[in-house]
Amino acid sequence: AARRFFEGETGVLADPLRRRMEAAAESAEFERAANLRDRLEAVEAFHGEGGEAVSDRADDRTVDVLAAAVEGDTARVARLHSERGQLVDRSRHRLDAAAGDEREGDAAGEDANTPAAVLSAFLAQYYAEREFPDAVLLAERPSDPDVVDWLEAEGVSVRVPGAGREAKLVELALKNARKRGGREDPVGALGERLGIDRPARIEGFDVSHAQGTAVVGSDVCFVDGSAETSDYRRKKLTDRNDDYANMRELVRWRAERAVAGEDDRPDPDLLLIDGGEGQLGAARDALAETGWDAPVVALAKAEELVVTPSGTRRWPDDAPELHLLQRVRDEAHRFAVSYHQTVRDEVKTVLDDVPGVGPQTRRRLLRRFGSVESVREASRDDLTDVDGVGDATADTLRERL
């Protein structure tokens, strides 16, 4: 969808925006920094280098500026929209690069995968059911002359500017078209959304336990959007029913190993925490305590909210960057649960060795006391309060444990 750069006046200076963007980045407010970055790009586009104005309040036309970029079998078209000399909207559109194959003439055959052919296909599709602008500025001439003739017959001025304000707008559109991101590159889209460099390496963290027993943590790794199972790690944590403390211990363990050079893996570009604001705060505390500098966000279950240091956001359900975070989060959860079950089975073995304690009694004991350690510390009377535990079994438990 089109993105509105400004509401109201556009007379915002680049230097204050740049300072605010840098301050937001230093404070790890990634989304705010990204938004400020976009506004800064717009301001610089308006004013250009050396103070040359790109905006022109004397121009009362509506103008669309289009540029296309082709990569393999996909193409992107960037559109800038100007009203009364002010750039107000921008959007990016993904097309099949071979869309021109079905057209006749110059847009067909081997020329279909060129920016000129893509522009021809886009112009025909985009303006078929939309209001025409006064002018369309293009990075290059469309390959199909019939499309140009159609637009000009509708009163649209179609040009490929060579210099001046219009040429600078075309340069900005071309830059946007060539920028990777979106469905074809969810990793790049994630970086853009958070305002960080492309997070090629993401580590996901989760904690699993049963009422504070058999507490474990997982650390999974994704590289360029794919699971890197050889870099998965897991850790037994202190038994306690405190999700925040457990997450702090897990992230601190990873951070301390990284700072000490004891982890043989590269540092990640992004840490993803399974949880909400509390878990994210615990992870950030661990990073601050160890001095390990790594961007970190959280993804809360159920409502699928993305939690960043600058706030909580709901991203579009179909956003590829959200799907990437969900895959990492879900894999961290699966790996943690799997390890927890293994550790829990080890705990079960301790009780299974006690004569008179079967599977049902074992479950009742763990449900009642929460852990083997608590069973060990329980009094004889407390033990016999558990259904299935008589005097003889209580004595055996106290002797064996």
Side-chain angles (χ1 to χ4, degrees), residues 27-255:
S27 301
E29 297 178 5
F30 305 124
E31 286 194 297
R32 181 168 178 267
N35 291 334
L36 290 169
R37 178 200 60 201
D38 287 344
R39 293 178 61 186
L40 177 61
E41 289 181 357
V43 169
E44 291 178 338
F46 291 155
H47 298 284
E49 296 180 1
E52 180 181 355
V54 173
S55 60
D56 182 4
R57 294 187 179 276
D59 186 353
D60 61 358
R61 301 172 302 162
T62 59
V63 180
D64 279 348
V65 186
L66 302 174
V70 178
E71 291 184 9
D73 294 331
T74 62
R76 292 184 296 274
V77 174
R79 169 183 170 269
L80 306 180
H81 181 67
S82 175
E83 295 179 1
R84 296 180 180 178
Q86 300 299 314
L87 190 62
V88 293
D89 289 322
R90 74 172 175 182
S91 58
R92 292 210 314 169
H93 307 264
R94 181 182 180 277
L95 299 87
D96 291 334
D101 287 343
E102 298 178 359
R103 301 191 57 82
E104 297 179 356
D106 293 340
E110 59 179 315
D111 294 330
N113 288 347
T114 65
V118 170
L119 285 174
S120 292
F122 179 81
L123 288 166
Q125 296 170 18
Y126 189 78
Y127 293 112
E129 299 180 355
R130 288 178 173 84
E131 183 177 349
F132 293 105
D134 296 317
V136 173
L137 307 179
L138 302 169
E140 56 188 289
R141 197 76 176 174
S143 60
D144 187 347
D146 290 342
V147 174
V148 177
D149 292 343
W150 166 61
L151 289 173
E152 291 182 340
E154 296 291 339
V156 181
S157 173
V158 181
R159 295 195 309 283
V160 179
R165 167 183 175 266
E166 293 183 345
K168 285 186 174 295
L169 290 174
V170 169
E171 289 177 8
L172 179 60
L174 191 58
K175 176 183 176 181
N176 289 346
R178 289 171 175 169
K179 182 186 295 185
R180 297 186 66 192
R183 296 188 181 279
E184 68 275 14
D185 181 25
V187 179
L190 177 60
E192 289 185 17
R193 174 83 69 167
L194 295 176
I196 61 176
D197 291 337
R198 186 174 186 274
R201 189 178 185 87
I202 304 173
E203 290 187 22
F205 297 82
D206 191 20
V207 171
S208 181
H209 60 90
Q211 298 181 344
T213 65
V215 182
V216 301
S218 66
D219 173 7
V220 303
C221 180
F222 277 58
V223 176
D224 285 327
S226 298
E228 190 79 3
T229 56
S230 62
D231 281 350
Y232 283 18
R233 299 292 186 270
R234 60 189 191 181
K235 178 174 175 56
K236 289 183 179 180
L237 303 173
T238 304
D239 275 0
R240 61 191 162 206
N241 196 14
D242 186 336
D243 288 338
Y244 301 160
N246 295 334
M247 183 60 72
R248 185 183 301 109
E249 180 182 352
L250 175 63
V251 176
R252 185 184 182 97
W253 163 75
R254 172 66 174 102

Side-chain angles (χ1 to χ4, degrees), residues 206-208 216 218 331-342:
D206 191 20
V207 171
S208 181
V216 301
S218 66
E331 178 65 356
H333 180 71
R334 182 202 65 79
F335 194 51
V337 169
S338 175
Y339 186 37
H340 163 69
Q341 291 172 343
T342 299

